[in-house]
Amino acid sequence: MIRIGNASGFYGDRFDAVREMLTGGELDVLTGDYLAELTMLILGRDQLKDPTAGYAKTFLRQMEEGLGLAHERGVRIVANAGGLNPAGLADALRALAAQLGLPTRIAHVEGDLLPARDGALTANAYLGGAGIAACLAAGADVVVTGRVTDAALVTGPAQWHFGWGPEAYDELAGAVVAGHVLECGTQATGGNYAFFRGHDVRRPGFPVAELHADGSSVITKHPGTGGLVDVGTVTAQLLYETAGARYAGPDVTARLDSVRLTQDGPDRVRVEGVRGEAPPPALKVGLSRLGGFRNEVVFVLTGLDIEAKADLLQEQIADALAKNPPAEVRWELSRTDRPDAATEETASALLRLVVRDRDPDKVGRTVTGAAVELALASYPGFHVTAPPGKGAPYGVFESTYVPQGEVPHTAVLPDGTRRELPVPPRTRGLVPVPDPDLPPPLPEGPTRRAPLGRIAGARSGDKGGDANVGVWVRTEEEWRWLAHTLTVEKVKELLPETRDLEVVRHLLPNLRALNFTIAGLLGDGVASQSRFDPQAKALGEWLRSRRLDVPEELL
């Protein structure tokens, strides 16, 4: 068995988690995920100012204490904090270890950084775990990488520890599932959990996977830490930012429809039965580029005649922008107001103006002037939530694919030796899995109008411009109802914003779950900020709040 923990789910996660994980219980490997689509753009902009930058500086600060603690306890550290410059981070870690008088052996993985094209600021292929495994096998105490898949932070140490070959598909798939559960940190231990009421999730501990040679695992956390680990929290994280039954990666394609979860004691969930298939022949490549400039003004509309006030303001702004209009002008009225409200804030609605253009002046002085000049000449009660500012650059994320053989997956070992990793011996193109049979429907009976969330949990997120929302239930009777009720058509009815978009439903009966992918909901991705909730983090909670007819026996 190998115990693999996580201490970071994103760049900016709880700083003292590294110390908590190294001192709070038994570990063999501590991992940290610092990269997301938005992070790559942030690091790219950092590197434009300073070519020696491009990595997560927070991780280097955490290692000021973490290197010594890990050395004392014999824990290996694996993190993708190298971002766009893993070699630079490795050099900085060597200097830190020397300063601290530690014999820490540092290695890194590179090759993911590809030549940018078509105006892209960054282009990075998603590598697998083989480079990490090679570094650990060469005696590395710390391995830092650039853009690897989130799950590779677990598959790499598992390949090293168990000696799995590249065609140990079921074992690798089990490690991918464990890695996906771990990669978002406390989302597996009660953070962002739909059924948070009744649990103490004020400060959830970070997760640990006890991984076995057959690819099965137990998800848990250090003793005495907050939060909880149960079948629900693990199910929620399995559905996060995934799609259908086939979950593809550079090491293996994991079959999410084969995953079986069982409670294995307090704060312990067993994950088993995972099947794997050969990986696809191509690697995903994430491209980030500057899309232009945007600005935003939020106007406050209070009291009576909200719609008429909004109409007046939009007409006035349109007239003011007519001579030099931005390429994109979007309005969104949020009716947060209540009738006969007891406070001014609850009597108010918010009217949001967002503008975009390649020319910063068109979203800067032009827009701020139009807004400010109306301060004494528009609707009664005119004011804004914050003074209008200059236009700010925004990013666009895109993905493409390249053959695995075109990416030089390279492990740079502690002694400086460079080892090129071979491409997988076999690959398999991705095709959809046929839908499994539906369970028998519940017998007809009385129903009551109630929120979906009375029955179901949900977790949602982003993949570029697309969103996913996974919905699950806890009993077989609830599953029989959900599988027949929550169709694509019903989702489009409950979420009117999706009506004109492609929505695909995936069934995962072992998890009593449905996963919906919604193409194009997020425009050009999180960095473009084209939506109120640009990462679709609360899309699932919106869906849970919508009302439909629920059998009374389930309520």
Side-chain angles (χ1 to χ4, degrees):
M1 181 180 73
I2 182 172
R3 296 181 183 88
I4 303 175
N6 170 282
S8 175
F10 69 102
Y11 190 11
D13 210 340
R14 201 156 81 212
F15 185 86
D16 56 3
V18 167
R19 176 180 176 81
E20 291 175 14
M21 291 302 290
L22 288 173
T23 60
E26 294 294 321
L27 279 183
D28 300 300
V29 177
L30 180 62
T31 67
D33 179 15
Y34 291 78
L35 301 184
E37 294 168 359
L38 179 60
T39 313
M40 303 306 283
L41 178 67
I42 293 170
L43 295 177
R45 291 176 60 187
D46 287 348
Q47 214 168 37
L48 286 177
K49 303 172 187 175
D50 178 3
T52 66
Y55 56 78
K57 296 176 182 177
T58 300
F59 175 76
L60 186 61
R61 288 173 47 220
Q62 289 172 309
M63 290 301 101
E64 292 174 5
E65 181 181 26
L67 288 183
L69 292 173
H71 177 69
E72 291 171 7
R73 290 159 174 76
V75 178
R76 313 282 183 115
I77 294 177
V78 178
N80 61 12
L84 302 176
N85 189 8
L89 178 55
D91 287 341
L93 287 167
R94 291 188 189 97
L96 176 61
Q99 178 185 337
L100 297 173
L102 295 171
T104 306
R105 294 163 293 184
I106 314 293
H108 73 275
V109 178
E110 59 185 42
D112 63 294
L113 185 60
L114 303 181
R117 60 185 189 274
D118 300 328
L121 180 61
T122 66
N124 295 81
Y126 287 71
L127 302 179
I132 295 170
C135 291
L136 293 170
D141 300 304
V142 177
V143 183
V144 291
T145 76
R147 178 73 279 185
V148 296
T149 65
D150 301 334
L153 300 174
V154 170
T155 63
Q159 286 173 275
W160 157 69
H161 182 79
F162 295 116
W164 295 335
E167 295 184 88
Y169 296 133
D170 290 347
E171 293 87 346
L172 286 167
V176 164
V177 169
H180 183 69
V181 173
L182 258 60
E183 57 103 352
C184 277
T186 53
Q187 279 197 170
T189 57
N192 301 353
Y193 184 44
F195 300 116
F196 69 96
R197 297 177 67 182
H199 305 287
D200 184 358
V201 294
R202 290 172 295 175
R203 187 181 172 86
F206 279 72
V208 175
E210 299 173 355
L211 196 61
H212 298 275
D214 64 354
S216 66
S217 63
V218 171
I219 306 300
T220 183
K221 60 188 183 69
H222 282 337
T225 55
L228 77 152
V229 179
D230 67 10
V231 169
T233 65
V234 175
T235 298
Q237 183 54 29
L238 274 177
L239 297 174
Y240 181 64
E241 296 182 346
T242 60
R246 285 192 165 102
Y247 185 60
D251 298 309
V252 67
T253 295
R255 290 290 297 264
L256 298 183
D257 56 346
S258 65
V259 180
R260 296 197 306 272
L261 304 178
T262 53
Q263 198 72 36
D264 195 48
D267 292 320
R268 293 178 62 83
V269 172
R270 183 168 296 278
V271 184
E272 56 192 346
V274 187
R275 291 187 289 114
E277 301 168 345
L283 294 178
K284 179 180 175 180
V285 177
L287 304 172
S288 61
R289 59 182 173 84
L290 295 177
F293 297 84
R294 71 182 295 279
N295 205 347
E296 177 177 323
V297 186
V298 180
F299 301 89
V300 182
L301 315 176
T302 304
L304 305 177
D305 305 318
I306 296 294
E307 301 284 350
K309 290 172 180 174
D311 290 343
L312 171 60
L313 180 66
Q314 290 178 63
E315 290 174 9
Q316 290 177 306
I317 293 289
D319 290 342
L321 298 181
K323 293 182 180 179
N324 194 26
E328 180 183 346
V329 178
R330 294 184 57 178
W331 292 93
E332 184 174 357
L333 176 61
S334 298
R335 294 301 303 266
T336 52
D337 56 303
R338 303 174 192 171
D340 195 21
T343 66
E344 182 177 334
E345 185 172 359
T346 55
S348 300
L350 301 177
L351 180 61
R352 180 172 176 246
L353 167 65
V354 177
V355 292
R356 303 173 193 277
D357 201 283
R358 306 288 295 183
D359 182 350
D361 286 340
K362 286 190 176 183
V363 302
R365 290 191 299 269
T366 301
V367 173
T368 56
V372 171
E373 289 169 7
L374 288 173
L376 304 180
S378 188
Y379 61 88
F382 180 104
H383 68 286
V384 295
T385 58
K390 299 178 180 178
Y394 71 88
V396 171
F397 178 85
E398 301 166 353
S399 61
T400 185
Y401 294 86
V402 299
Q404 292 227 25
E406 293 185 9
V407 178
H409 190 170
T410 306
V412 184
L413 307 182
D415 64 359
T417 301
R418 301 178 65 84
R419 181 175 298 171
E420 300 292 329
L421 281 304
V423 298
R426 286 195 295 147
T427 60
R428 174 177 177 171
L430 287 175
V431 294
V433 174
D435 279 342
D437 293 336
L438 293 175
L442 287 180
E444 293 287 336
T447 62
R448 192 189 326 155
R449 202 77 175 162
L452 175 64
R454 286 285 304 276
I455 301 298
R459 171 78 53 82
S460 56
D462 63 306
K463 279 296 179 187
D466 301 339
N468 97 289
V469 55
V471 183
W472 81 96
V473 289
R474 294 167 287 187
T475 70
E476 196 59 33
E477 289 75 20
E478 291 169 347
W479 170 239
R480 290 170 62 186
W481 172 77
L482 184 75
H484 287 274
T485 302
L486 199 61
T487 62
V488 167
E489 292 72 23
K490 179 59 72 173
V491 166
K492 289 190 174 188
E493 175 190 328
L494 296 175
L495 305 180
E497 192 178 353
T498 70
R499 281 178 181 163
D500 297 326
L501 302 175
E502 180 187 5
V503 179
V504 179
R505 184 176 97 147
H506 310 278
L507 282 85
L508 299 169
N510 281 5
L511 302 176
R512 298 192 186 103
L514 303 171
N515 210 346
F516 296 89
T517 54
I518 304 168
L521 181 70
L522 307 179
D524 291 322
V526 55
S528 70
Q529 300 182 58
S530 58
R531 188 175 177 272
F532 167 69
D533 174 16
Q535 290 181 277
K537 297 294 188 183
L539 183 66
E541 287 302 293
W542 178 27
L543 180 62
R544 292 183 70 234
S545 74
R546 297 308 309 269
R547 293 176 176 266
L548 67 173
D549 294 327
V550 180
E552 284 193 354
E553 65 177 284
L554 300 183
L555 296 171

